């Protein structure tokens, strides 16, 4: 079964507290399944809030958040956590890994929470495709270089084959050379799984790699700088 | 998974974790030791005397009578006349009687005049009789039997001549040096005041005081040891007496009869009852000890919690990662709880080990120095009880950092705030 829209938001509004001005107000936004979307937004444009809402960590006060055909804002927090574990992979700017666990353990961690067993690909193959040496697997995550860590993060995010990848400025800690290599690796892998990817960055030059570009300041009806962060 | 992460996290911070475990180990060992020593002291205290149904003495305080007749502390205010002692012991409900005559000393150790019955009927701990490590019961007037401590400290052996001193001060100026005694027996250690006692016969006690009136030697009236033997050495007075009754049921009746004795103001006490009364006077000390041990335990637990709290701030990235890959917020809570429980458990186990080892190692020393016999199997149900209480408090305290991490994980979401 294929769902047309991997992500569909309608009339979503979020404010941190009732006394504060809203941070996010999106009338309608849809992302097709399998699309790679570049989300451009300066700091303070509400991108953290948007990602947290899609990931199911924050609950908007209004509207419908439909992910893969499921209205996740109707779910209980624990169910949303499970949904995120099973259907999403998250990559941060930096510090994606639990420093005191080995690379292998870090990659297997996401599988433990998703409780999925449908991995067709072995960790070794995945690591190989991300051009990481296999000897890395048993090393502690904090012994790796930043570039290696980010690629391990991709492996971790992809290992349980999630339908949606959320990447929050994953390249900002990388230099320009490793950055281009990283993005192509990431997109190549997500294509293979037909995953939808949301890639957030303030660096507009990266937009060329993606199917679609969204400017969060246009999407979000809340004027920037009216809210904190 | 939870266990694996918690373990890896603790191993990652091995030094702080190790120090935290050490403080728990120490505090558990302290709590258990204090409790153990308290129990053992109480048991030892109560087992000083056994099988004696009544102690009879001149009418004074109950505790005072117990202290001088059993623990050799303090002095009698008055005596019992030998005549009345005879009358009391001849009652048909009395099975046996041990007369006690106090008032002299040897190098700070109290001298006790008594009869052969003392060695037959005296019992301590669980009805254990006195046994000799060397020699035998006194036979002659100038024979003496030493408690094990006296023999050990003063390095006396059988055949040693000793001189008794008048009065019980550790430094006495009046010595019975005209009538030396000979050591004929040394008792086995008992862990009771018997070990610190010099035993002579009542006749011996009488002999050294021939020619004395009201505790003072009459000037110019010195009677030699040989001449003293020719006199009537039946005592005129004794200090106290232990009574054993034929039937326990008659205890209160005999006690009342003695308390209401017309010819002389006497009193009788039940040693077990007065010993527990005396122990209760030490209640405050006991409570203070327990309080200090408890405070040490709480302090060490607070130490662990402080350590956890300070790491929570450093661990916000880790928490964000766990949340991102789908860990529920309560997983974060459990992780912190589990780490604390793990550390405290290891600390408790090591603490019990340290405590046990300590007891085993110190047992011979404590036994020798203080006559306090510690059992070598100190693991009782109270060990488990204190361990569980400690663990419970730890879990309660751990809620602070765990809740903090939980809240943080909800608030910060996927963003990593530096």
């Amino acid at each position: 079964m294929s769902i047309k829209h991997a992500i569909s938001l309608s009339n979503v509004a979020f404010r941190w507290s009732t006394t504060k001005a809203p941070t996010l107000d999106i009338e309608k936004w849809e992302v097709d399944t399998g699309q790679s979307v570049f989300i451009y937004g300066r700091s303070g444009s509400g991108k953290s809030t948007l990602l947290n809402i899609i990931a199911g960590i924050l609950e908007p006060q209004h509207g419908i958040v439909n992910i893969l055909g499921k209205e996740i804002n109707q779910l209980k927090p624990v169910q949303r956590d499970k949904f995120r574990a099973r259907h999403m992979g998250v990559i941060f700017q930096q510090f994606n890994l639990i420093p005191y666990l080995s690379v292998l353990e870090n990659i297997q961690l996401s599988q433990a929470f998703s409780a999925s067993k449908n991995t067709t690909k072995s960790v070794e193959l995945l690591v190989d495709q991300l051009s990481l040496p296999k000897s890395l697997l048993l090393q502690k995550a904090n012994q790796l270089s930043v570039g290696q860590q980010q690629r391990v993060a991709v492996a971790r995010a992809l290992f349980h084959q999630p339908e949606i990848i959320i990447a929050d400025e994953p390249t900002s800690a990388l230099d320009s050379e490793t950055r281009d290599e990283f993005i192509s690796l990431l997109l190549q892998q997500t294509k293979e799984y037909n995953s939808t990817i949301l890639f957030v960055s303030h660096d507009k030059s990266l937009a060329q790699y993606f199917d679609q570009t969204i400017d969060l300041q246009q999407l979000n009806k809340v004027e920037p700088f009216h809210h904190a962060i | 998974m939870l266990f694996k992460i918690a373990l890896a996290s603790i191993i990652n911070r091995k030094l702080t974790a190790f120090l935290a475990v050490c403080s728990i180990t120490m505090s558990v060992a302290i709590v258990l030791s204090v409790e153990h020593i308290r129990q053992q002291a109480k048991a030892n205290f109560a087992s000083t005397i056994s099988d004696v149904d009544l102690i009879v003495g001149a009418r004074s305080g109950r505790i005072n009578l117990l202290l001088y007749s059993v623990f050799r502390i303090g002095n009698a205010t008055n005596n019992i006349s030998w005549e009345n002692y005879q009358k009391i012991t001849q009652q048909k409900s009395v099975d046996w009687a041990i007369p006690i005559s106090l008032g002299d000393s040897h190098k700070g150790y109290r001298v006790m005049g008594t009869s052969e019955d003392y060695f037959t009927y005296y019992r301590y701990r669980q009805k254990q009789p006195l046994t000799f490590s060397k020699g035998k019961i006194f036979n002659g007037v100038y024979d003496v039997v030493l408690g094990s401590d006296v023999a050990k400290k003063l390095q006396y052996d059988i055949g040693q001549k000793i001189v008794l001193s008048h009065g019980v001060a550790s430094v006495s100026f009046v010595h019975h040096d005209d009538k030396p005694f000979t050591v004929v027996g040394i008792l086995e250690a008992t862990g009771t005041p018997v070990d610190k006692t010099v035993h002579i016969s009542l006749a011996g006690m009488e002999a050294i005081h021939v020619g004395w009136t009201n505790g003072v030697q009459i000037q110019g009236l010195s009677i030699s040891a040989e001449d003293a033997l020719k006199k009537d050495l039946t005592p005129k007075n004794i200090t106290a007496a232990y009574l054993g009754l034929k039937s326990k049921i008659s205890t209160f009746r005999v006690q009342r009869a003695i308390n209401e004795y017309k010819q002389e103001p006497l009193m009788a006490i039940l040693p077990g009852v007065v010993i527990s009364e005396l122990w209760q006077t030490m209640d405050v000390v006991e409570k203070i000890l327990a309080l200090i041990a408890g405070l040490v335990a709480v302090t060490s637990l607070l130490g662990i919690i402080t350590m956890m709290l300070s790491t929570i701030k450093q661990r916000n990235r880790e928490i964000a990662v766990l949340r991102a890959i789908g860990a529920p917020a309560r997983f974060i809570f459990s992780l912190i709880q589990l780490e604390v429980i793990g550390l405290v458990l290891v600390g408790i186990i090591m603490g019990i080990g340290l405590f046990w080892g300590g007891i085993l190692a110190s047992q011979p020393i404590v036994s020798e120095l203080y006559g306090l016999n510690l059992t070598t199997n100190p693991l009782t149900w109270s060990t488990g009880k204190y361990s569980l209480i400690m663990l419970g408090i730890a879990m309660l305290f751990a809620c602070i950092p765990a809740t903090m991490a939980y809240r943080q994980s909800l608030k910060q979401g996927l963003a990593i705030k530096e």
Side-chain angles (χ1 to χ4, degrees), chain A residues 2-20:
Chain A
S2 172
I3 300 152
K4 189 176 184 301
H5 302 300
I7 300 165
S8 159
L9 307 185
S10 55
N11 294 317
V12 170
F14 179 83
R15 54 177 79 203
W16 282 100
S17 78
T18 47
T19 53
K20 281 183 184 160

Side-chain angles (χ1 to χ4, degrees), chain B residues 3-17:
Chain B
F3 283 90
K4 196 173 169 184
I5 298 176
L7 185 66
S9 158
I10 288 172
I11 291 170
N12 184 49
R13 287 172 287 115
K14 19 183 171 345
L15 185 66
T16 40

Side-chain angles (χ1 to χ4, degrees), chain A residues 48-61:
Chain A
S48 295
T49 311
L50 177 63
L51 293 185
N52 272 311
I53 286 172
I54 292 169
I57 286 176
L58 292 181
E59 204 174 331
Q61 280 81 9

